[in-house]
């Protein structure tokens, strides 16, 4: 069985006080042993603060994740944060290819693949986000789009999939309140598992496949019941302590 993972993506939300309260609340509640992996991805400026709270909480259940990373190790890249810097603050995961990075910041599939490799060079785990737009779904080209997004990653050695997570996030479901039905999500997740199997054989069976897109406590249960859904990437609902904890409990 694939170990579940629930990752909260705060996007560009929060404050020092918010981070303290939310992380403290998560740690207090999840101090009992949980079977799922749990990750929090605050904005990068709060990574040191959250890292410190997690470390002092002496709780290895909750791991730290970053929302973005530069593809280079160092140099003249004003405004970027290198993978080595994230690793210094105990980041375990890094989101790469979130649809907002693709749409608003023009990240290409190749740049995302470069970031994916940069994250792994520094012994962290990339959470690769992929997903189709509403127009693409309606045009019946969902699987072509996903295959294109995966293509540069499939040029890499098979071993990269031993330390990687994929989050399927239909763009039309992100932040819209419109969740994919469990059947729609499972259809894509099962395609993803089969595609990975075709590429990397049995390594595919251990890759955590997350669903993301308006996951809430009341829709998480049915989604998680699907065979190939191994957890969630949660945006809006991860900003609410009780909602996030409820989603973590579903995946536990
Ligand atoms: C996300 O940002 O990855 C996301 C899935 O957002 P939301 O849960 O708000 O749709």
């Amino acid at each position: 069985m694939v170990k579940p993972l629930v990752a909260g993506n705060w996007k560009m939300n929060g404050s020092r006080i918010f981070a303290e309260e939310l992380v403290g609340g998560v740690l207090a509640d999840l101090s009992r042993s949980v079977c799922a992996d749990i990750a929090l991805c605050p904005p990068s400026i709060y990574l040191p603060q959250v890292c410190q709270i997690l470390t002092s909480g002496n709780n290895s259940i909750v791991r730290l994740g970053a929302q973005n990373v530069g593809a280079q190790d160092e140099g003249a890249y004003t405004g970027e944060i290198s993978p080595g810097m994230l690793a210094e603050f105990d980041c375990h995961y890094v989101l790469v290819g979130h649809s907002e990075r693709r749409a608003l910041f023009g990240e290409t599939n190749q740049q995302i693949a470069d970031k994916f490799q940069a994250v792994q060079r520094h012994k962290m785990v990339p959470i690769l986000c992929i997903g189709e737009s509403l127009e693409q779904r309606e045009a019946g080209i969902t699987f072509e789009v996903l295959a294109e997004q995966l293509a540069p990653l499939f040029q890499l050695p098979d071993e990269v999939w031993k330390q990687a997570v994929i989050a399927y996030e239909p763009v039309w479901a992100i932040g819209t309140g419109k969740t994919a039905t469990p059947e729609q999500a499972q259809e894509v997740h099962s395609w993803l598992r089969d595609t990975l199997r075709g590429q990397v054989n049995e390594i595919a069976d251990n890759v955590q496949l997350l669903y993301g897109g308006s996951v809430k406590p009341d829709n998480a249960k049915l989604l998680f019941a699907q065979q190939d859904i191994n957890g969630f990437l949660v945006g809006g609902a991860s900003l609410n302590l009780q909602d996030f904890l409820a989603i973590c409990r579903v995946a536990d």
Side-chain angles (χ1 to χ4, degrees):
M1 194 198 144
V2 184
K3 191 174 187 193
L5 165 63
V6 178
N9 171 19
W10 296 1
K11 312 195 192 203
M12 199 176 71
N13 294 296
S15 64
R16 285 182 66 85
I17 289 177
F18 171 87
E20 196 178 316
E21 288 177 356
L22 192 122
V23 180
V26 170
L27 287 185
D29 193 89
L30 297 182
S31 58
R32 286 162 270 126
S33 66
V34 282
C35 305
D37 290 327
I38 309 293
L40 296 174
C41 307
S44 53
I45 194 157
Y46 300 123
L47 287 169
Q49 183 196 358
V50 176
C51 168
Q52 215 227 325
I53 301 173
L54 292 180
T55 313
S56 61
N58 199 18
N59 177 319
S60 56
I61 295 163
V62 181
R63 286 169 160 162
L64 189 56
Q67 298 177 16
N68 186 29
V69 66
Q72 280 76 24
D73 286 342
E74 62 183 353
Y77 302 100
T78 302
E80 291 287 84
I81 295 178
S82 77
M85 293 167 188
L86 296 181
E88 254 195 302
F89 286 94
D90 285 347
C91 281
H92 183 86
Y93 299 103
V94 183
L95 303 183
V96 297
H98 191 281
S99 69
E100 287 151 18
R101 303 285 329 161
R102 293 175 188 267
L104 304 175
F105 302 96
E107 290 189 10
T108 64
N109 292 332
Q110 187 54 56
Q111 285 169 328
I112 291 159
D114 293 343
K115 291 185 176 196
F116 181 103
Q117 290 179 87
V119 169
Q120 289 194 333
R121 265 200 310 280
H122 290 267
K123 311 284 178 249
M124 297 176 290
V125 178
I127 301 180
L128 171 72
C129 305
I130 57 172
E132 82 288 1
S133 67
L134 185 59
E135 298 72 50
Q136 291 164 335
R137 175 161 279 265
E138 286 176 351
I141 55 168
T142 295
F143 296 120
E144 283 88 332
V145 171
L146 300 179
E148 217 173 286
Q149 292 174 345
L150 288 166
L153 282 315
F154 286 156
Q155 306 298 317
L156 305 177
D158 293 358
E159 280 61 40
V160 302
W161 296 102
K162 288 185 177 165
Q163 287 298 324
V165 176
I166 300 180
Y168 166 58
E169 301 205 299
V171 179
W172 47 272
I174 297 180
T176 59
K178 235 193 250 178
T179 324
T181 63
E183 295 73 25
Q184 282 173 321
Q186 169 57 23
E187 184 189 23
V188 172
H189 280 235
S190 131
W191 174 88
L192 263 175
R193 186 80 69 200
D194 286 348
T195 304
L196 273 175
R197 275 195 198 117
Q199 203 69 32
V200 297
N201 302 314
E202 67 279 1
I203 296 176
D205 293 337
N206 293 319
V207 178
Q208 289 165 315
L209 300 181
L210 311 185
Y211 168 79
S214 298
V215 175
K216 304 274 182 282
D218 59 357
N219 57 30
K221 207 168 174 180
L222 278 180
L223 286 161
F224 191 67
Q226 305 304 306
Q227 191 182 340
D228 294 298
I229 297 183
N230 309 126
F232 302 112
L233 180 53
V234 186
S238 73
L239 299 171
N240 178 294
L241 175 62
Q242 293 312 325
D243 285 355
F244 185 64
L245 289 173
I247 295 168
C248 291
R249 273 184 224 113
V250 167
D252 191 22

